[in-house]
Amino acid sequence: MPKKKSIISSLGFIPYFPNIHLEIADVVEGGAAQRAGLQVGDKLQAINGVKLSDWNEFVELIQKNANQTLKVEIERGTMTSLLNLTPDARRVESDLLQGYIGAAPLIDSFPESYRVKLQFSPIDAVIKGVEKTAQLTKLTFDTLVKLITGDVAITNLSGPVSIAKGAGMSANYGIEYFLGFLGLISVNLGLMNLIPLPVLDGGHLFYYFVELVTGKPIPEKVQEIGFKVGAALLMMLMSVAILNDFNLL
């Protein structure tokens, strides 16, 4: 059966994909991979006696075997070993568990000839910054709406642990990526702070707006109730985000 062409290929373009090796490049501390004895530099050979062809095949087998012990054959230096690997489980849907082990593969870097460096004058840089901020603002509000409507799962919420991990990963790629990540987080936190919850700045602005319209301040009792409700909602949101962080560890 002939291989179906992708849309990009049908247009005459050949996309470049860096080669992903069946070699461990990073192991998360305390994860299933580390508990099994996998180390950086180990080359994956087979699972349950079936030879692996690529990293995607390895990932599919891990995801399908949450909490199931697998016999993983690895090559370490000149030695071949057999390890018992039991993927941890995380719930991706209401009735579906997905396995994960906390390991990353060795990936070839992009050739220098494929890299493009964009530089702007100070004025153009400000304009581009405003445009990018507007795009991030729209994306943030669209995501919030989808979280409320259920189009995006609540498991996509991230907390301080994920932010710290993201900052570390972006810093490994260079100062440009790190600053871009900081900009993304700054925009997101700024917009979240404008949500009209009484404990946030957005809540104070809402109270001021009501006072401006009605000509008198909101009664202290109402403000007190609003602060309690807002604090409870904010704590609930933070708890979900932190739980999601721990599920990804």
Side-chain angles (χ1 to χ4, degrees):
M1 185 175 180
K3 187 177 180 180
K4 188 177 180 180
K5 287 187 177 181
S6 66
I7 296 177
I8 295 178
S9 299
S10 65
L11 294 174
F13 297 101
I14 303 177
Y16 174 80
F17 297 101
N19 190 28
I20 303 176
H21 300 273
L22 275 168
E23 181 177 338
I24 303 297
D26 186 33
V27 176
V28 176
E29 184 176 354
Q34 187 187 60
R35 297 197 302 270
L38 280 171
Q39 300 177 9
V40 173
D42 289 346
K43 297 179 180 179
L44 305 171
Q45 301 295 316
I47 288 186
N48 291 344
V50 179
K51 186 174 179 60
L52 293 169
S53 58
D54 56 43
W55 181 264
N56 288 333
E57 181 183 8
F58 174 68
V59 171
E60 289 178 4
L61 289 171
I62 294 299
Q63 292 179 343
K64 292 178 180 178
N65 289 276
N67 296 324
Q68 303 295 318
T69 301
L70 303 170
K71 299 287 185 180
V72 180
E73 181 182 334
I74 64 165
E75 178 184 321
R76 182 178 296 167
T78 58
M79 304 269 305
T80 299
S81 303
L82 198 62
L83 303 178
N84 291 322
L85 175 62
T86 305
D88 293 323
R90 59 186 170 201
R91 192 171 298 278
V92 293
E93 294 180 10
S94 58
D95 58 347
L96 179 63
L97 289 178
Q98 185 181 81
Y100 69 102
I101 62 171
L106 178 66
I107 304 176
D108 289 344
S109 59
F110 276 86
E112 287 295 333
S113 58
Y114 284 29
R115 300 184 181 185
V116 177
K117 187 173 183 179
L118 298 177
Q119 290 183 322
F120 301 100
S121 66
I123 295 177
D124 289 337
V126 171
I127 295 174
K128 290 293 181 182
V130 171
E131 291 177 353
K132 189 65 176 179
T133 302
Q135 293 173 4
L136 292 176
T137 299
K138 183 179 183 303
L139 177 62
T140 300
F141 281 123
D142 287 345
T143 303
L144 285 175
V145 171
K146 290 180 180 179
L147 280 172
I148 295 172
T149 59
D151 291 333
V152 173
I154 197 73
T155 52
N156 288 285
L157 281 176
S158 299
V161 178
S162 294
I163 292 175
K165 289 177 65 177
M169 292 177 62
S170 62
N172 290 334
Y173 286 101
I175 185 64
E176 298 94 340
Y177 296 94
F178 180 63
L179 292 177
F181 179 81
L182 292 183
L184 171 64
I185 294 301
S186 297
V187 171
N188 275 270
L189 292 179
L191 292 174
M192 293 296 291
N193 192 42
L194 292 177
I195 294 177
L197 285 178
V199 291
L200 301 176
D201 289 342
H204 291 287
L205 292 175
F206 176 73
Y207 283 162
Y208 295 150
F209 176 75
V210 172
E211 182 177 348
L212 178 65
V213 173
T214 60
K216 56 183 179 179
I218 296 177
E220 290 186 4
K221 188 64 177 179
V222 175
Q223 292 188 40
E224 182 180 347
I225 295 174
F227 278 115
K228 290 180 179 179
V229 173
L233 291 173
L234 188 61
M235 289 298 295
M236 183 176 64
L237 192 65
M238 291 176 61
S239 299
V240 171
I242 292 174
L243 284 174
N244 289 339
D245 283 346
F246 283 114
N247 286 334
L248 292 175
L249 292 178

